[in-house]
């Protein structure tokens, strides 16, 4: 099988790698580059456990081929913390028990972080719509919405 050389920047670090044409972006991130935050859940894009940002937009990395990301800037949940200091959103997830089993958390954080970049005073309904592509198998959205709302409040006070 043929292989392709690609270049991706992940959380500010440029990587060169060689992948098979069928390699999914989530597999390249996890298996080739060691960014294990994005989880493989449904492998159909329905659960959102694999959510990352590509060039500023959230994508389901289990539905994107790694070769399609050639030249892209990818942000994973590992990039939210700053030198080990949790972001405000990560702290609110911890504080409001939005982590639960943790499997959906990386995808939830990436979707919520992207949403909060463009919405500084969202309603609870808007928050729920923003994370509707991320499924929590623990069925506990209340704490997740509380954490996102608290982050929005905190960020609003800082602006």
């Amino acid at each position: 099988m043929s292989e392709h050389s690609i270049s991706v920047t992940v959380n500010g670090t440029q990587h060169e790698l060689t992948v098979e044409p069928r390699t999914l972006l989530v597999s390249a991130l996890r298996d080739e580059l060691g960014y294990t935050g994005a989880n493989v859940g449904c492998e159909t894009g329905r659960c959102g456990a694999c959510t990352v940002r590509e060039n500023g937009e959230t994508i389901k990395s289990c539905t994107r081929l790694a070769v399609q990301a050639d030249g892209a800037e990818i942000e994973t949940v590992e990039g939210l913390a700053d030198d080990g200091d949790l972001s405000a959103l990560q702290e609110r997830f911890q504080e409001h028990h939005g982590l639960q089993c943790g499997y959906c958390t990386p995808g939830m954080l990436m979707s919520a972080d992207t949403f909060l970049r463009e919405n500084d005073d969202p309603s609870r309904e808007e928050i729920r719509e923003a994370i509707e592509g991320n499924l929590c198998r623990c069925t506990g959205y209340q704490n997740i919405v509380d954490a996102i709302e608290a982050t929005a409040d905190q960020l609003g006070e800082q602006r």
Side-chain angles (χ1 to χ4, degrees):
M1 180 167 290
S2 66
E3 294 187 331
H4 297 274
S5 295
I6 65 169
S7 175
V8 292
T9 301
V10 182
N11 301 331
T13 302
Q14 186 170 358
H15 299 275
E16 309 288 332
L17 64 155
T18 303
V19 295
E20 293 182 5
R22 65 181 179 181
T23 302
L24 297 174
L25 178 58
V26 68
S27 299
L29 290 169
R30 292 180 59 85
D31 304 336
E32 303 295 327
L33 300 176
Y35 295 97
T36 57
N39 288 316
V40 178
C42 65
E43 296 185 84
T44 63
R46 291 184 180 172
C47 77
C50 65
T51 303
V52 299
R53 268 194 296 264
E54 180 184 271
N55 299 327
E57 301 289 328
T58 56
I59 63 163
K60 308 290 177 60
S61 60
C62 76
T63 62
R64 174 96 63 204
L65 296 171
V67 294
Q68 292 175 299
D70 186 22
E73 291 193 26
I74 305 296
E75 296 172 82
T76 68
V77 71
E78 290 94 337
L80 293 181
D82 184 21
D83 279 336
D85 293 329
L86 297 180
S87 70
L89 181 61
Q90 290 171 310
E91 288 180 354
R92 297 301 79 77
F93 262 65
Q94 184 177 34
E95 202 174 276
H96 290 271
H97 306 288
L99 302 169
Q100 302 171 118
C101 83
Y103 202 80
C104 71
T105 303
M108 288 282 185
L109 286 168
M110 294 308 294
S111 292
D113 188 74
T114 303
F115 172 71
L116 290 174
R117 288 178 176 198
E118 297 177 2
N119 298 281
D120 56 0
D121 188 24
S123 68
R124 291 183 69 79
E125 184 60 31
E126 289 170 324
I127 292 169
R128 288 185 179 279
E129 288 175 16
I131 60 170
E132 70 183 4
N134 298 84
L135 300 179
C136 172
R137 291 178 174 92
C138 301
T139 68
Y141 294 94
Q142 184 70 33
N143 292 347
I144 293 169
V145 172
D146 289 348
I148 297 168
E149 185 176 43
T151 305
D153 291 345
Q154 178 186 351
L155 296 176
E157 292 171 5
Q158 294 173 351
R159 291 182 183 141

